[in-house]
Amino acid sequence: FDGIRTPVQNLSDLGFIEVAGGLVRFTHDLIQQHVYESIELEQRRTFHIEIGLFLGWKVSTSRTSSDASSLEGAVGKMYISESKSQGSVITERSLLSIATDHINHAGPEFVEQSERKSFAIWNLEVGKELSARCDFGCALHYYEQGIAFVGNEVWVDECDINGKYFCLDLYEGAAEAASAIRNDTKVKHYTNVIIRNVPLDNSLPAWITLISSLESHGRHLEILEKGIKLIQLLNIDIPPPPPSPTAVMESMATTTIAASQYDINLILSTNQSKTDRHQRNVLRLFDAITVAAYSVSSPYLPLLTFAMVRYSLKNHIHETESAFAFAGFGYFHIVFKQDYVRGKYWADVALGILKQKRAISATVRVEWLVYGHILMWF
């Protein structure tokens, strides 16, 4: 406290502040609030910016300049490292959160346009960390703050961060956090913004979040209507509504011919590589629409199952979602053709995928179908 030791001591003697080691704090929240509100708004915002920049600089691993007022490199690669202070554990992440709070207090309108995207990244990093800890309410706050900093122009100005557009990450994060706390109005808003502004392939996660929100309210018919159109837009062969019995049997025949080129060992041996993001999103979309079709006993259920089987086999991707489709394929062999041998064969494929993936979350559905409706005949 060199240079301010006397005023600090005076304030301590009067009971306004406490001094402990290297820390100074107000003795009461009302005192702190009064001091804060006595500072002019513009100066208050300046203090927030300066404090935020300094703390942001402290958590940057790529920082080379000692000038804390510059944004260059102030984010860098964030990491968690612990340092003990007064019996508490402070992490680099918590410092970033505090830094971001100060910047947010100042607000986007007080920040230069050229700097706003950098502060949006800070909010994105904090939002991701809170989402990982399942604190979705707070995560949504930071995603929304980040969105406020970038504004609508970000969809025109492609700002690439490590190969991904962080504007899309912000809106996806906001939509998923809103879905987790069941704020359906915000889910609809943020997913619709994504759907309007990015190509279909990049908007699939937003569609999945929207469908999940609709599913939580039992709006299965709406999911089916939107989902069938989406699948067709993805150039995946599925008949237009209403599906006829003839279309169902023709689709099954086509799928059976395609599937005959694979044996169980080949399917499971091609299940080792990591599925790319787009293909996994297509599978997740299929899975969500198939569940909706089952919930309303839609005639689209077998058509969706067959299309998902063909997609999985064609692209050599067999994830947990595929296991349910393969089990369904086996079930429809029994129901439509009384072919119990092929039914058991595809049930074994489904169980083999589950065993490889160790997919606890998908086990209940697949085992219910396999053991309750297929293997019961053996």
Side-chain angles (χ1 to χ4, degrees), residues 97-324:
S97 175
I98 296 169
T100 305
D101 285 339
H102 278 285
I103 299 298
N104 291 345
H105 271 299
E109 65 278 4
F110 196 70
V111 176
E112 293 292 334
Q113 185 70 34
S114 60
E115 298 176 339
R116 291 181 184 179
K117 291 176 183 177
S118 297
F119 292 134
I121 300 172
W122 292 20
N123 279 283
L124 175 61
E125 291 292 332
V126 177
K128 286 181 176 179
E129 178 66 17
L130 290 168
S131 292
R133 287 161 32 195
C134 298
D135 191 351
F136 295 109
C138 288
L140 178 59
H141 165 76
Y142 285 100
Y143 290 130
E144 291 181 325
Q145 288 292 320
I147 289 169
F149 274 101
V150 296
N152 292 327
E153 55 81 29
V154 75
W155 297 105
V156 178
D157 181 10
E158 296 181 345
C159 190
D160 192 9
I161 305 297
N162 295 327
K164 294 182 66 179
Y165 301 117
F166 76 89
C167 55
L168 180 57
D169 282 352
L170 279 169
Y171 278 86
E172 281 183 355
E176 290 170 4
S179 178
I181 61 175
R182 305 197 68 166
N183 189 327
D184 301 305
T185 301
K186 289 189 175 182
V187 171
K188 185 176 180 180
H189 169 70
Y190 289 122
T191 55
N192 283 339
V193 172
I194 294 172
I195 291 164
R196 287 197 308 268
N197 286 283
V198 301
L200 176 59
D201 286 355
N202 293 333
S203 68
L204 286 181
W207 277 110
I208 293 166
T209 300
L210 178 60
I211 287 173
S212 175
S213 177
L214 294 173
E215 195 277 333
S216 68
H217 292 279
R219 294 162 67 176
H220 304 297
L221 291 175
E222 185 176 350
I223 293 172
L224 268 176
E225 181 184 356
K226 293 179 183 294
I228 297 302
K229 291 178 181 178
L230 272 174
I231 290 172
Q232 291 171 338
L233 286 173
L234 289 166
N235 295 318
I236 296 173
D237 183 27
I238 192 165
S244 65
T246 301
V248 172
M249 297 311 297
E250 288 177 352
S251 179
M252 184 171 187
T254 300
T255 308
T256 300
I257 292 170
S260 65
Q261 303 173 41
Y262 304 86
D263 62 34
I264 187 170
N265 294 322
L266 177 61
I267 293 173
L268 296 180
S269 66
T270 58
N271 195 27
Q272 304 300 320
S273 59
K274 186 177 180 180
T275 305
D276 73 37
R277 188 171 186 243
H278 171 74
Q279 291 175 336
R280 186 62 188 270
N281 284 332
V282 171
L283 289 179
R284 291 174 61 203
L285 179 66
F286 258 123
D287 191 59
I289 301 168
T290 301
V291 170
Y294 171 79
S295 299
V296 294
S297 302
S298 169
Y300 261 110
L301 178 60
L303 289 168
L304 288 164
T305 301
F306 303 150
M308 192 171 178
V309 168
R310 292 195 302 271
Y311 184 84
S312 297
L313 292 173
K314 177 182 177 181
N315 294 284
H316 305 289
I317 48 172
H318 315 304
E319 297 288 343
T320 55
E321 295 86 359
S322 305
F324 188 62

